């Protein structure tokens, strides 16, 4: 008879870019790297945060939101590969209400390999921090309105928990996602060179171990202007905390394999989630 093979292995990609202020240049770079990821066999590719423009006028870029989502859908359809579009500015909330000027929502858009939008996740945690680098002061809340929803999506048979950059520092979000059934957590990011060197790999690995999920970090890299540099080192981490594969600090397409059999075996041996005694509510804004 017909034996249906269960797919457990998924080649997935992290796209690492040095995005500048010019959207059209960035989309050309992103398109070339998505094509490379597909050639290497990826069935899902994750673009970094601010892939279409890093810096510049986010309200103006928000005017092009629908066009940029269409670009993602066209890329996915033509490559027959699901794509999570790191982050894009949006002038509307998910319910269609306008975001009060001068702010925008910063959101990640998942699209299927058929080019259909699957989900939109609006960044929950905004990076307001003082970093010992040339930029010095980061205040995302001056530009962005935070999201309110935890978002999980099915990409084919894969359950993917969506997050963006600074969210990586908040394990409550990862716990909410794994409680909802996540197998893969994705962190499209623009982690700074300084904070990245200190915490990027540490946080990705800790998140994988604490959730029993695969964790994919797709980071910006290099120098984006005189005062802003990002860390790169995009990587896939398995649920045991091993780095399956990673990039250095140049643009590229990392393709590495997620194996659900490995994940399930680890979860059976050490069923951490079944031992979880805290129920995490929220998100809250005080």
């Amino acid at each position: 008879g017909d034996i249906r093979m269960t797919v457990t292995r998924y080649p997935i990609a992290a796209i690492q870019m040095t995005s500048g202020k010019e959207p059209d240049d960035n989309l050309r770079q992103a398109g070339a790297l998505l094509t490379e990821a597909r050639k290497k066999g990826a069935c899902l590719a994750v673009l970094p945060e601010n892939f279409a423009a890093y810096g510049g006028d986010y309200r103006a870029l928000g005017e092009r939101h629908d066009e940029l989502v269409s670009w993602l859908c066209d890329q996915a359809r033509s490559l027959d590969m699901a794509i999570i579009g790191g982050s894009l500015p949006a002038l509307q909330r998910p319910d269609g209400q306008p975001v009060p000027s001068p702010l925008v929502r910063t959101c990640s858009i998942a699209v299927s390999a058929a080019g259909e939008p699957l989900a939109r996740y609006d960044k929950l945690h905004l990076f307001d921090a003082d970093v010992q680098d040339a930029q010095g002061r980061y205040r995302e809340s001056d530009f962005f309105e935070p999201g309110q929803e935890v978002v999980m999506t099915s990409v084919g048979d894969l359950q993917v928990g969506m997050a963006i950059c600074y969210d990586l520092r908040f394990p409550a979000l990862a716990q909410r996602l794994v409680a909802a059934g996540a197998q893969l957590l994705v962190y499209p990011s623009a982690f700074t060179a300084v904070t990245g060197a200190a915490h990027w790999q540490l946080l990705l690995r800790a998140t994988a171990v604490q959730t029993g999920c695969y964790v994919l970090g797709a980071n910006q890299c290099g120098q984006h202007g005189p005062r802003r540099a990002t860390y790169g080192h995009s990587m896939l981490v398995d649920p045991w905390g091993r780095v399956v594969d990673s990039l250095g600090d140049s643009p590229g397409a990392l393709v590495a394999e997620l194996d659900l059999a490995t994940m399930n075996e680890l979860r059976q041996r050490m069923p951490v989630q079944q031992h979880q005694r805290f129920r995490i509510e929220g998100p809250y804004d005080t």
Side-chain angles (χ1 to χ4, degrees):
D2 180 31
I3 299 168
R4 183 174 150 74
M5 290 292 289
T6 310
V7 177
T8 70
R9 294 169 179 273
Y10 295 87
I12 60 174
I15 305 297
Q16 182 163 293
M17 299 175 60
T18 307
S19 294
K21 289 183 178 174
E22 271 308 315
D24 298 331
D25 295 344
N26 297 325
L27 295 182
R28 267 194 298 278
Q29 184 187 173
L33 290 168
L34 288 167
T35 301
E36 184 186 329
R38 188 67 184 108
K39 284 192 177 131
K40 291 177 179 173
C43 62
L44 164 67
V46 179
L47 288 160
E49 185 179 28
N50 299 326
F51 73 92
Y54 193 18
D57 181 344
Y58 289 122
R59 285 288 298 186
L61 191 63
E63 300 281 357
R64 296 179 62 181
H65 182 80
D66 292 346
E67 173 201 334
L68 292 166
V69 172
S70 294
W71 181 88
L72 285 171
C73 293
D74 292 345
Q75 291 286 321
R77 195 179 306 113
S78 68
L79 293 168
D80 188 29
M81 174 177 69
I83 298 173
I84 293 177
S87 77
L88 290 171
L91 303 183
Q92 271 89 36
R93 296 171 182 159
D95 66 3
Q97 293 290 314
V99 178
S101 179
L103 303 179
V104 297
R105 286 287 182 99
T106 187
C107 62
S108 187
I109 306 287
V111 300
S112 73
E116 300 295 325
L118 295 171
R120 165 181 161 167
Y121 163 70
D122 290 20
K123 189 177 187 177
L124 280 164
H125 299 100
L126 299 182
F127 186 53
D128 286 358
D130 297 312
V131 175
Q132 302 292 317
D133 67 5
Q135 175 81 11
R137 190 168 186 271
Y138 293 82
R139 290 292 179 272
E140 283 190 345
S141 60
D142 290 348
F143 303 99
F144 302 116
E145 177 184 70
Q148 302 293 341
E149 306 292 330
V150 174
V151 178
M152 227 208 18
T153 188
S154 301
V155 178
D157 295 331
L158 203 57
Q159 303 303 306
V160 182
M162 297 177 73
I164 299 173
C165 197
Y166 191 51
D167 285 330
L168 180 58
R169 293 184 184 271
F170 298 89
L173 175 57
Q175 289 296 344
R176 277 287 298 273
L177 289 166
V178 72
Q183 298 164 319
L184 168 66
L185 303 177
V186 296
Y187 292 93
S189 297
F191 245 73
T192 71
V194 171
T195 59
H199 301 145
W200 171 248
Q201 189 188 84
L202 172 69
L203 287 166
L204 291 168
R205 293 181 66 194
T207 300
V209 171
Q210 288 173 344
T211 59
C213 289
Y214 275 86
V215 177
L216 185 70
N219 205 13
Q220 291 275 355
C221 66
Q223 202 70 36
H224 304 272
R227 295 188 309 164
R228 190 163 283 199
T230 50
Y231 181 63
H233 295 83
S234 296
M235 64 183 70
L236 178 67
V237 181
D238 80 7
W240 189 248
R242 287 176 292 231
V243 177
V244 180
D245 205 354
S246 66
L247 294 176
D249 48 17
S250 307
L254 172 80
V255 178
E257 201 168 66
L258 173 155
D259 183 7
L260 292 183
T262 299
M263 185 195 79
N264 292 333
E265 188 202 342
L266 283 165
R267 287 183 176 188
Q268 278 156 8
R269 288 213 309 261
M270 200 183 294
V272 177
Q273 293 315 309
Q274 291 166 38
H275 303 153
Q276 172 68 258
R277 297 186 62 185
F278 290 91
R279 198 169 45 242
I280 293 165
E281 310 292 345
Y284 292 124
D285 270 328
T286 48

